[in-house]
Amino acid sequence: MDIPRIFNITESAHRIHNPITADKLATLGAALRMEPGARILDLGSGSGEMLCTWARDYGITGIGVDMSQLFTEQAKLRAKELGVADKVKFIHGDAAGYVSNEKVDVAACVGATWIGGGVSGTIELLAQSLRAGGIILIGEPYWRQLPPTEDVAKRCLAHSISDFLMLPELLASFGSLGYDVVEMILADQDGWDRYEAAKWLTMRRWLEANPGDELAKEVRDQLTSEPKRYAAYTREYLGWGVFALMAR
Ligand code: SAH
């Protein structure tokens, strides 16, 4: 079981697989005012940067579940590197339907809400692991500018304009699901560059090391076209944020 190999190639050097930067991730951890020993569940935990740095900086404990074998291995290595291997556990597996044995203080899905079939389904899934009064974290894109056409939405790699909301509507949608938005950290275009532009050097080096690979043509095509597509579309139209929610 694994995610499509292309992501394990293009994001192999990423610590954070999202447009949030390390300093914003730290700001978010501080903003949540967690007590040392707070328990976190992270579905789609990637290379584990959130749990590992928050364990080091804020004394949390956590479980991360991720379907990428590579990212999960990197998360375990990062935990050792930061000296928090006794505080955080990373499980390689499908997080769809994953409910923790013990209730957690914070239940997160940061940039992987397809795991629960969309934002509302993911909130329902996370709520099953959450203690009363706990916090849900959702990382999700929104439109900075509404795409003028469906074609522009597709060039942002969305299926359609309806995939995402504008920020005010996204915030209001959490209210409609019965949740207060109690904090948020928004990515900016520099953060998007860290996520997207970092793939280009990784792709270039991978191509040099793997010229005969069956994915070499796909990676070559992406490296050729991505900088322009990204600058014209994703960077202009897509915002991204992490939203902290508490049930009303
Ligand atoms: N939250 C992490 C990773 C976000 S990228 C971060 O911010 O860095 C999305 C992640 O979801 C990837 O690591 C991918 O491997 C993982 N993923 C995709 N489908 C999944 C599934 N069904 N179950 C668990 N993880 C999944």
Side-chain angles (χ1 to χ4, degrees), residues 3 16-18 44-46 66-68 71 93-95 110-112 114-115:
I3 58 171
I16 301 174
H17 305 264
N18 269 313
S45 44
D66 198 281
M67 207 152 89
S68 164
F71 299 167
D94 189 347
V110 177
W114 56 86
I115 284 172

Side-chain angles (χ1 to χ4, degrees), residues 2 127 143 155:
D2 211 322
W143 294 119
R155 285 168 195 262

Side-chain angles (χ1 to χ4, degrees), residues 112-210:
T113 54
W114 56 86
I115 284 172
V119 170
S120 74
T122 299
I123 290 175
E124 274 178 41
L125 173 61
L126 293 172
Q128 294 177 52
S129 298
L130 193 69
R131 72 160 168 85
I135 289 179
I136 287 180
L137 289 182
I138 293 284
E140 184 70 2
Y142 57 88
W143 294 119
R144 286 178 71 221
Q145 301 178 53
L146 202 62
T149 63
E150 288 293 340
D151 183 58
V152 169
K154 287 197 169 62
R155 285 168 195 262
C156 296
L157 308 185
H159 297 103
S160 95
I161 297 173
S162 64
D163 279 10
F164 307 121
L165 300 169
M166 300 285 286
L167 181 59
E169 284 71 36
L170 177 59
L171 294 170
S173 76
F174 295 125
S176 307
L177 295 171
Y179 285 84
D180 286 323
V181 182
V182 296
E183 257 294 2
M184 69 176 189
I185 300 282
L186 303 181
D188 58 19
Q189 287 175 307
D190 292 336
W192 272 108
D193 296 346
R194 286 310 80 234
Y195 176 49
E196 294 292 341
K199 296 176 191 174
W200 309 338
L201 181 57
T202 303
M203 287 195 275
R204 175 61 201 250
R205 291 198 166 149
W206 182 89
L207 279 169
E208 281 167 12
N210 300 277

Side-chain angles (χ1 to χ4, degrees), residues 84-125:
V84 295
D86 57 333
K87 292 200 161 86
V88 291
K89 183 176 161 195
F90 292 100
I91 298 169
H92 173 234
D94 189 347
Y98 187 92
V99 177
S100 63
N101 295 329
E102 265 186 291
K103 298 276 183 193
V104 297
D105 302 288
V106 176
C109 180
V110 177
T113 54
W114 56 86
I115 284 172
V119 170
S120 74
T122 299
I123 290 175
E124 274 178 41
L125 173 61

Side-chain angles (χ1 to χ4, degrees), residues 22-59:
D23 56 325
K24 287 195 184 223
L25 199 57
T27 301
L28 175 63
L32 297 177
R33 305 174 208 168
M34 296 171 291
E35 300 288 340
R39 280 200 300 273
I40 304 183
L41 173 67
D42 188 13
L43 301 186
S45 44
S47 299
E49 192 68 0
M50 185 175 86
L51 289 181
C52 291
T53 55
W54 289 5
R56 177 194 63 190
D57 299 339
Y58 309 116

